[in-house]
């Protein structure tokens, strides 16, 4: 597998439309590790950036926000990560040594494995090398893009810390491999009504465009569950311009018909939007035309939503018969939304 180093200023262009498939908010978890004496390996998958704790000490030494193993490993340390979605293809990595300066891991590499039914072991012979050992600097982010295209699905990653030390955050980016339609409804769909959540990240939905993500990315709209705090929701900055609105466009995992929308403001109590509208379109483009006059159909006129609650809106009968590929949610004038569910049926 070939790869290249990416400058930080190219992050959005390279990974912006992909899914952070390793994130704890998507269900990513550490399933085994060699050592995390100084700081737990689970910190690697936290949602937010690493925090500094200068001058704070615990029983084992300085308190750090990240994975830190003990010194003098004659080989190297490792952690095995189960990805959040059932399977995904891999596009690249963000390996961050924030606040580790003098105790950072000198280098790191990444391997991958497809093992849907069992937890793989470190000594398994089936690991595939995705990223060869790369040097890491102190307190800095390191972006790596896999440049050889691959549609091979994986379920687990192994991050190798060579030979030991600290890594604050590890983020893997890629594309969720959605279940084949023949597999039927999944636990994250609306099984009781026989409807698919066309926008759900595990069904292949992804955000392809948004106006603002100051406090939280629009991709959080499509995650499983309802989250634990405001941290994993789409949250825009306060606007001061009359008539302002923010929008996000979601490419559905499958083209289909839409019956009902669920807009969830869970945890947004004093900063939920004043109103929400939703449009949809059938387009072969990844990002459809942004002008609403260019073929968009209104599924939901501007409607009031309240704090910390799910809001269900049925689509009108005429729109229920149309096939769509994208939805666009607009919030007025700004604020936070936790999840957007788009219930319907896949087209033939």
């Amino acid at each position: 597998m070939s790869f290249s180093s990416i400058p930080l200023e190219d992050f959005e262009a390279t990974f912006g439309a992909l899914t952070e498939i390793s994130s704890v908010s998507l269900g990513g978890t550490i399933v085994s590790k060699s050592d995390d004496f100084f700081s737990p390996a689970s910190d690697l998958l936290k949602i937010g950036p690493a925090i500094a704790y200068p001058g704070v000490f615990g029983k084992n030494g300085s308190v750090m926000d990240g994975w830190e193993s003990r010194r003098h490993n004659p080989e190297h340390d490792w952690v095995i990560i189960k990805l959040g979605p059932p399977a995904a293809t891999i596009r690249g990595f963000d390996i961050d040594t924030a606040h580790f300066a003098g105790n950072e891991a000198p280098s790191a590499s990444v391997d991958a494995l497809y093992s849907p039914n069992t937890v793989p072991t470190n000594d398994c012979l089936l690991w595939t090398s995705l990223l060869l050992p790369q040097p890491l600097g102190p307190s800095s982010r390191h972006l790596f893009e896999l440049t050889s295209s691959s549609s091979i699905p994986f379920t687990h990653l192994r991050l190798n810390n060579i030979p030991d030390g600290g890594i604050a955050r590890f983020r893997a980016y890629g594309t969720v491999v959605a279940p084949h339609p023949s597999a039927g409804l999944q636990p994250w769909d609306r099984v009781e009504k026989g409807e698919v959540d066309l926008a759900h990240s595990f069904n292949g939905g992804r955000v392809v465009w948004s106006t603002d993500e100051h406090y939280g990315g629009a991709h959080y709209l499509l995650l499983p569950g309802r989250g634990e705090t405001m941290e994993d929701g789409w949250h825009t900055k306060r606007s001061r311009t009359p008539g302002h609105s923010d929008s996000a466009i979601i490419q559905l995992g499958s083209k289909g018909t839409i019956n009902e929308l669920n807009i969830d403001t869970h945890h947004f109590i004093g900063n939920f939007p004043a109103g929400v509208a939703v449009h949809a379109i059938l387009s072969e483009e990844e990002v459809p035309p942004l002008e609403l006059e260019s073929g968009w159909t209104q599924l939901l006129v501007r409607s009031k939503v309240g704090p910390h609650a799910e809001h269900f809106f049925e689509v009108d009968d005429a729109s229920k018969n149309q096939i769509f590929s994208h939805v666009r949610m607009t919030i007025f004038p700004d604020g936070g939304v936790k999840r957007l569910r788009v219930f319907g049926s896949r087209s033939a």
Side-chain angles (χ1 to χ4, degrees), residues 21-32 41-42 44-45 79-85 119 155-157:
I21 53 178
S22 56
S23 173
V24 66
S25 66
L26 210 67
T29 184
I30 305 294
V31 294
S32 61
S42 58
L44 285 167
L45 309 183
V79 294
I80 295 177
I81 301 162
K82 181 183 181 301
L83 300 179
V119 177
T155 59
H156 294 77
L157 294 175

Side-chain angles (χ1 to χ4, degrees), residues 3 8 19-20 24 76 81 102 141 162 184 222 230 278 324 327 337:
F3 56 89
L8 284 178
T19 301
E20 187 188 334
V24 66
H76 70 271
I81 301 162
R141 289 172 61 188
I162 307 170
L222 314 183
M230 285 192 300
V278 178
F324 298 110
V327 295
V337 177

Side-chain angles (χ1 to χ4, degrees), residues 231-245:
E231 189 175 31
D232 65 338
W234 178 38
H235 191 185
T236 69
K237 60 177 170 284
R238 294 187 187 221
S239 60
R240 307 299 185 188
T241 304
H244 179 84
S245 64

Side-chain angles (χ1 to χ4, degrees), residues 38-39 50 64-69 96-105 137-140 165-169:
F38 287 111
S39 195
M64 301 295 294
D65 186 12
W67 171 40
E68 186 180 6
S69 63
D96 188 0
T97 58
H99 311 304
F100 288 98
N103 54 347
E104 76 279 357
S139 196
S140 54
I167 299 174
R169 296 288 186 268

